[in-house]
Amino acid sequence: MTMKTDDRSVSKTRGLAGRLLTAAAITISAAGPAALPASAAGISGDVVRIGVVNDQSGPLSDLAGAGSVVAAGLALEDFKALAPSLKVEIVAADHQNKADIGVEIVRKWYEAEGVDMVVDVGNSAVALAVQSIARERNKLVIYAAVGTTDITGSQCSPTGLAWLHDNYNLVSGPIRRLVAQGQDKWFFIAADYAFGQNMVKESESALKAAGGTSMGAVFHPLGTTDYASFLLQAQSSGADVVAFANAGAQLVTSMKQWNEFGMSAGNQRPVAELMFLTDIHGMGLETAQGLTGVTAWYWDLNDGTRAFAKRFFDRHGAMPTAPQASVYSAVLHYLKAVAATGTDETGRVVAHMRATPVNDIYAPGARLRADNKLVHDFYLVQVKQPGAQEKPWAYYNVLETIPAAYAYRPLSESDCSLVTAAGK
C-alpha cells in the first residue's frame, strides 16, 4: 500500500501512517471469485478510486489526518473478503484548511484522475466549496467531521452525504441538559470560519429554545496560539458556561491556557462543543477532567468497537477517533454498494446506499434520510478524573445514549431542497 500526500504530514503521524506518507498512492486490489456481484463492466476505468482529503499537517490533523487514511485502508481489507476481484485505489491529499486548495485537489481528482468518491474533508469551509464541485460533476462526497448544518441544509446536494455529525447534533443535547440544571448563561469562544460561526448560531438558537441566554461570542483565527484576550472576555462576561466552538489543537491550546490562567478554579464551567479523543490525549486528564461533550462513536463502547480499535492502533499508534471510525464505515458501505450494483455511477450507488442499512462497528442499522444525513445514536460523555482511567486511551465516561430520534433536527424544520422534493 502506498499513498500520496504532503511530506509536511510525516512528523504528525505514527506507525504505519507515518510510513505511508512518503509514497505515491494507495492501491489495494485482489484477484479471485467475487462473493458479491461485482462486475468491472460498469466500473469506469475498471477501477474504483477513492480520495481522502483532509487536514494532514495542521490543527485538525490528529483527529482525522493520516488516521483517516488508515481507517479507509482497514475498510478495504474488510471489503476484499466480500469482493476480492474488484480493484480499488485510494489517493490522499492535504487541503491545509484552505478552500481554494481543497477545491483544486478535488476538481483535479474528479476531472483528470478518475476519482469516484471523496471522503472525510473535515473543514466546514472546505466542505462547502467541495460540495459545489461534487454537485457540478455529479460525483459523490461523504463528509466525516464537518460541522456546518448548511451541508445538509440550505446547501444540500444529491451527491453529498454526512456520515458523522453536524453542529445541531453536537450542541442541542448538552445545552438542554445544562440549562435545566440552572447553568443558563453562556459565552462562546469560537473558531472564525464556517464551522465556528455556524456552531455559535446553532448554539444560540438552542439556548434560546431552552430558556437560556447568550452573553456573547468571540471568534479567533484558525491556528492562533494565544487565547488570552478571548479567555479574559469570557471570564468578564458573567456567563455560567464558557463553550468552546473549536476543535483539535485549537481546543487543546484553549484548555491548557484556561488552566494556566487559573480559570479552572473559578465558577465558570467549560464545555467543549466539539471534542475528540485525540484532544483529550493531547491535553491530558489534569487539564481535560470533567469536560463534557457529545460524540457519535467511542472506541471503548463494546467488544466490536474494541476489536476495531486494536486493529487501528496496531497500524496508527493511537486509538481511533469518531471521524476516523466514520471514514471506515463510509468507505465500506460505499464499496458494498458499488459491488452490489456492479457500477460506480453516482446515482445508482447512492440509491443502493440509501436503501441498505449500515452494517459495521460504527453505526449498525443506521440509514440515510432524505437530507442525506446518516441517522444514528450519539453519546453524551464526560472526561474522567485523573486516577479513574482503567486503561490507556479510556478517557470517557458515557453518561447517556442520545437516541437517533432525538439527536437530529426534525425533517419538518429542514431547508434542504431534497427534503422538499421528497415531500417534507
Side-chain angles (χ1 to χ4, degrees):
M1 292 191 295
T2 55
M3 177 177 101
K4 178 167 64 178
T5 190
D6 192 313
D7 286 342
R8 288 175 296 176
S9 301
V10 174
S11 64
K12 298 288 289 182
T13 59
R14 309 171 180 88
L16 175 63
R19 294 194 295 276
L20 289 174
L21 290 172
T22 61
I26 286 183
T27 304
I28 297 179
S29 60
L36 290 177
S39 169
I43 305 298
S44 57
D46 293 335
V47 60
V48 178
R49 289 194 175 92
I50 297 170
V52 181
V53 63
N54 57 23
D55 173 7
Q56 295 186 7
S57 57
L60 308 180
S61 57
D62 282 347
L63 64 92
S68 289
V69 184
V70 171
L74 291 175
L76 295 190
E77 286 182 17
D78 292 345
F79 176 71
K80 284 195 297 180
L82 302 175
S85 64
L86 187 63
K87 185 179 180 183
V88 180
E89 296 178 358
I90 294 180
V91 294
D94 182 353
H95 58 44
Q96 301 173 47
N97 293 304
K98 297 178 180 178
D100 57 340
I101 292 176
V103 166
E104 180 183 357
I105 290 166
V106 173
R107 186 187 296 278
K108 183 179 179 182
W109 278 352
Y110 285 155
E111 296 180 356
E113 299 185 6
V115 169
D116 301 293
M117 186 270 275
V118 167
V119 68
D120 197 353
V121 187
N123 179 296
S124 290
V126 178
L128 290 169
V130 168
Q131 181 92 314
S132 297
I133 299 300
R135 182 191 295 110
E136 173 189 316
R137 303 302 300 171
N138 191 35
K139 292 284 191 175
L140 184 59
V141 55
I142 306 179
Y143 302 104
V146 171
T148 177
T149 55
D150 291 339
I151 281 289
T152 52
S154 61
Q155 298 193 42
C156 69
S157 166
T159 63
L161 313 180
W163 219 255
L164 181 64
H165 61 222
D166 66 20
N167 288 339
Y168 180 90
N169 303 137
L170 295 170
V171 307
S172 58
I175 285 176
R176 287 195 301 266
R177 195 173 197 263
L178 291 175
V179 169
Q181 295 173 0
Q183 296 175 310
D184 56 0
K185 296 177 182 178
W186 289 53
F187 185 89
F188 301 92
I189 296 177
D192 193 12
Y193 68 106
F195 158 74
Q197 294 157 6
N198 180 262
M199 179 163 269
V200 171
K201 175 184 174 183
E202 291 293 335
S203 297
E204 292 184 332
S205 177
L207 194 59
K208 182 178 179 180
T213 303
S214 172
M215 306 300 288
V218 63
F219 295 87
H220 64 76
L222 181 67
T224 189
T225 57
D226 184 0
Y227 292 85
S229 65
F230 311 117
L231 291 168
L232 288 173
Q233 289 180 67
Q235 191 176 43
S236 63
S237 68
D240 305 310
V241 174
V242 177
F244 292 91
N246 53 21
Q250 305 160 92
L251 177 62
V252 172
T253 305
S254 298
M255 286 305 302
K256 285 182 176 179
Q257 292 182 16
W258 170 279
N259 279 270
E260 289 169 5
F261 298 158
M263 294 178 69
S264 57
N267 295 323
Q268 292 177 311
R269 177 173 184 166
V271 169
E273 295 202 297
L274 181 57
M275 179 172 70
F276 296 106
L277 191 73
T278 45
D279 301 337
I280 308 309
H281 189 74
M283 68 180 80
L285 290 184
E286 280 290 340
T287 297
Q289 59 181 304
L291 267 178
T292 57
V294 170
T295 185
W297 186 87
Y298 176 44
W299 74 267
D300 202 21
L301 287 173
N302 54 54
D303 289 344
T305 58
R306 285 187 282 271
F308 170 78
K310 183 181 185 305
R311 291 173 61 202
F312 183 93
F313 186 90
D314 288 345
R315 289 162 172 79
H316 191 55
M319 285 300 184
T321 62
Q324 290 159 348
S326 77
V327 167
Y328 165 86
S329 173
V331 170
L332 184 58
H333 196 65
Y334 168 75
L335 288 174
K336 287 179 179 178
V338 171
T341 58
T343 182
D344 55 5
E345 193 278 317
T346 298
R348 290 180 61 188
V349 172
V350 171
H352 191 276
M353 293 176 71
R354 188 181 300 283
T356 309
V358 169
N359 181 25
D360 58 40
I361 52 84
Y362 171 66
R367 286 182 177 270
L368 285 162
R369 71 179 192 179
D371 58 356
N372 279 343
K373 297 180 192 288
L374 184 72
V375 178
H376 49 77
D377 293 345
F378 282 79
Y379 304 93
L380 182 64
V381 298
Q382 186 171 42
V383 179
K384 294 176 180 178
Q385 301 294 321
Q389 181 185 2
E390 305 88 358
K391 51 190 172 184
W393 291 89
Y395 296 134
Y396 294 158
N397 288 317
V398 178
L399 301 180
E400 61 185 69
T401 298
I402 304 172
Y406 299 101
Y408 291 81
R409 189 191 307 279
L411 278 176
S412 60
E413 300 175 9
S414 175
D415 54 358
C416 171
S417 58
L418 301 174
V419 177
T420 304
K424 192 181 269 189

